[in-house]
Amino acid sequence: TCVFVPLREQSIGSLMNASHESCRDQYECSAPELETIRNILISSGALGCRLTGAGWGGCAVAITDEDHKAGLLTALQQQYYETRSSGNRLSTPAFVTQPGCGASITQYKD
C-alpha cells in the first residue's frame, strides 16, 4: 500500500532546486549542457529541477504541474535538442512520468 504525504509541488520544487545547487556548487558535478537544460525547464514553468544519476552531465529530473507539462517538453525540444547536432540524437530524449511507491519491504509467510 502506498501512502503519499501531501506536499505542495512548490515545496518539492524548492528542495529540488536547492539540492541541484548544492551538487553543482559544492561538488562541481554538473555540466554546462545540464545547466542549459535546467535553465530551459525552469524558465518554461518547471517548479524545480535537479541533476540525477552520476552527475557530470548525466540527466535532469523536473517537477511541474499538469498545465505546464506539454510546454516543458516543447521548450526542451525546440530550445535544446533542435539547436544541437543531429549526431547521436536520442529518439525520445525527454519523457513524462509520475511518482510511484518507491522501495518497500515485502514479508512472505511460509
Side-chain angles (χ1 to χ4, degrees):
T1 302
C2 290
V3 178
F4 290 102
V5 177
L7 292 173
R8 296 185 54 191
E9 290 89 354
Q10 292 85 359
S11 298
I12 297 170
S14 295
L15 291 172
M16 290 175 73
N17 290 332
S19 176
H20 175 82
E21 292 160 6
S22 173
C23 287
R24 180 193 62 208
D25 300 342
Q26 295 179 350
Y27 297 100
E28 300 178 354
C29 62
S30 189
E33 296 84 0
L34 188 56
E35 292 301 313
T36 299
I37 287 172
R38 184 174 179 273
N39 291 337
I40 291 167
L41 292 169
I42 294 292
S43 67
S44 299
L47 300 170
C49 183
R50 62 158 284 136
L51 60 84
T52 189
W56 293 279
C59 298
V61 62
I63 186 170
T64 190
D65 55 27
E66 191 70 31
D67 294 338
H68 290 92
K69 180 174 63 175
L72 290 179
L73 293 175
T74 300
L76 193 57
Q77 183 67 33
Q78 292 175 349
Q79 297 176 39
Y80 187 81
Y81 290 104
E82 289 179 6
T83 65
R84 303 302 191 272
S85 163
S86 62
N88 297 324
R89 185 175 296 181
L90 300 173
S91 61
T92 308
F95 56 90
V96 176
T97 187
Q98 292 181 309
C101 295
S104 63
I105 297 174
T106 304
Q107 295 181 341
Y108 296 96
K109 295 182 179 181
D110 291 335

